[in-house]
């Protein structure tokens, strides 16, 4: 599989480190943002292949970030995965309605995460 450029968005430093370890091991290029505002600013000048975002973050949560990304035509087809401790049907439906491609519950299994990435990244 070709190297995938991934933006991970999570306010937890330890979660960003876990994601970096799991994803770089597969050869992916990782960029990181600590919340939705930082991610939105980074996305103004970059075009990743995939975004993985948490839901509960300060300044701009994952729902707001997904809506922000989907409002831009150049990101219309980019996969967005939600990686969160949340697992309610209501939150999943809200993320899907905002434009999320998939949902993974923390703690994540690195092999499962990479399998999902292979399925959604083109």
């Amino acid at each position: 599989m070709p190297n995938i450029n991934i933006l991970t968005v999570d306010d937890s430093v330890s979660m960003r480190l876990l994601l970096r370890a799991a994803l770089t091991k597969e050869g992916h290029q990782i960029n990181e943002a600590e919340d939705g505002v930082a991610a939105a600013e980074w996305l103004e000048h970059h075009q990743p292949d995939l975004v993985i975002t948490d839901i509960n973050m300060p300044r701009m949560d994952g729902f707001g970030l997904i809506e922000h990304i989907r409002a831009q035509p150049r990101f219309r087809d980019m996969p967005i995965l939600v990686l969160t401790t949340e697992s309610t049907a209501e939150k999943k439906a809200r993320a899907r309605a905002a434009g999320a491609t998939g949902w993974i519950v923390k703690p994540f299994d690195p092999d499962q995460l990479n399998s999902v990435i292979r399925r959604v990244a083109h």
Side-chain angles (χ1 to χ4, degrees), residues 1-50:
M1 162 162 243
N3 184 334
I4 298 172
N5 184 354
I6 301 172
L7 173 62
T8 62
V9 189
D10 200 302
D11 57 318
S12 162
V13 173
S14 59
M15 183 53 61
R16 290 198 308 270
L17 289 172
L18 283 170
L19 281 167
R20 174 177 287 279
L23 300 172
T24 55
K25 187 179 79 163
E26 294 294 314
H28 304 312
Q29 179 182 335
I30 306 304
N31 303 281
E32 299 172 4
E34 70 273 6
D35 61 29
V37 171
E41 290 170 354
W42 186 87
L43 287 165
E44 287 177 20
H45 306 286
H46 301 89
Q47 178 84 34
D49 301 311
L50 171 76

Side-chain angles (χ1 to χ4, degrees), residues 47-83:
Q47 178 84 34
D49 301 311
L50 171 76
V51 171
I52 300 173
T53 184
D54 188 16
I55 290 295
N56 300 311
M57 299 179 289
R59 299 201 301 165
M60 181 192 295
D61 69 10
F63 298 122
L65 176 61
I66 294 165
E67 290 166 355
H68 174 81
I69 291 170
R70 290 298 186 222
Q72 300 174 60
R74 70 187 178 112
F75 294 130
R76 187 173 38 240
D77 298 325
M78 182 183 65
I80 302 172
L81 296 177
V82 174
L83 179 65

Side-chain angles (χ1 to χ4, degrees), residues 96-115:
R96 242 190 323 277
T101 310
W103 186 280
I104 299 166
V105 177
K106 293 177 188 173
F108 69 94
D109 172 80
D111 293 333
Q112 178 199 18
L113 177 62
N114 280 296
S115 174

